[in-house]
Amino acid sequence: MAARRERGLFDPDAAPGESPFDHTIWAFCSDGDIEEGISHEASAIAGHQKLGNLVLLYDDNHISIEDDTAIALSEDVRARYAAYGWDVHHVDWTVNGDYEENVAQLAAAFEAAKAETERPSFIALRTIIGWPAPNKKNTGKIHGAALGAEEVAATKKILGMDPAKTFDVPEDVLEHTQGLCGR
């Protein structure tokens, strides 16, 4: 709403998409945020005001600090946002029964959301919290607690890293990053 107001104050006559005040507002939320009452109020007014410059990415991992969200959340969150009048998208990185970060699919959802200018967009991204930590992923134990040395070592093995090395940055990654920085 503030972005709409500043455009109205400082550049009201610009054609749509031509003002420096025409930009996308990106917001991120978790299961715990969705469970909070204020999320209803803010989301309902965003839909009512047709805030087409707003994109909300929801990390739908089914875990909150208390553990599985099933203990406190049973609603269809995507249907809730559709009922608010939002443009709703779904990206599932668990669709094959395993965890696969399909960045192209998420990028397509981002582009579709940015193309929708008449209403806010909601992207539910199904993830697994703490992936690939073998003993703590997808549990409340991963939410806000340290992994511990054994879990870090086990995770590094899964990722093909040397569990004995700490803060190891492979030389090719370091060179690439420094090249991007102009070093």
Side-chain angles (χ1 to χ4, degrees), residues 59-60 90-107 124-132 137 158-159:
D59 182 12
D60 180 19
H90 182 231
V91 176
D92 188 348
W93 286 354
T94 67
V95 72
N96 296 325
D98 200 5
Y99 186 68
E100 180 183 339
E101 293 182 348
N102 187 330
V103 176
Q105 188 182 26
L106 181 58
L125 174 62
R126 178 69 174 103
T127 64
I128 294 177
I129 190 171
W131 178 88
K137 70 180 176 189
I158 289 169
L159 294 172

Side-chain angles (χ1 to χ4, degrees), residues 24 34 43 46-47 79 86 98-99 122 129 144 148 157 170:
T24 303
I34 290 295
S43 299
W86 288 55
D98 200 5
Y99 186 68
F122 181 82
I129 190 171
K157 284 181 184 176

Side-chain angles (χ1 to χ4, degrees), residues 22-75:
D22 291 338
H23 54 276
T24 303
I25 307 295
W26 298 92
F28 303 89
C29 71
S30 67
D31 291 297
D33 298 317
I34 290 295
E35 293 173 16
E36 295 291 338
I38 194 167
S39 73
H40 158 71
E41 296 168 3
S43 299
I45 196 163
H48 181 74
Q49 291 290 320
K50 301 184 184 318
L51 300 180
N53 64 331
L54 175 62
V55 178
L56 178 60
L57 178 65
Y58 165 42
D59 182 12
D60 180 19
N61 61 45
H62 299 200
I63 299 292
S64 70
I65 201 160
E66 291 85 15
D67 209 27
D68 192 312
T69 57
I71 64 173
L73 181 67
S74 58
E75 69 193 54

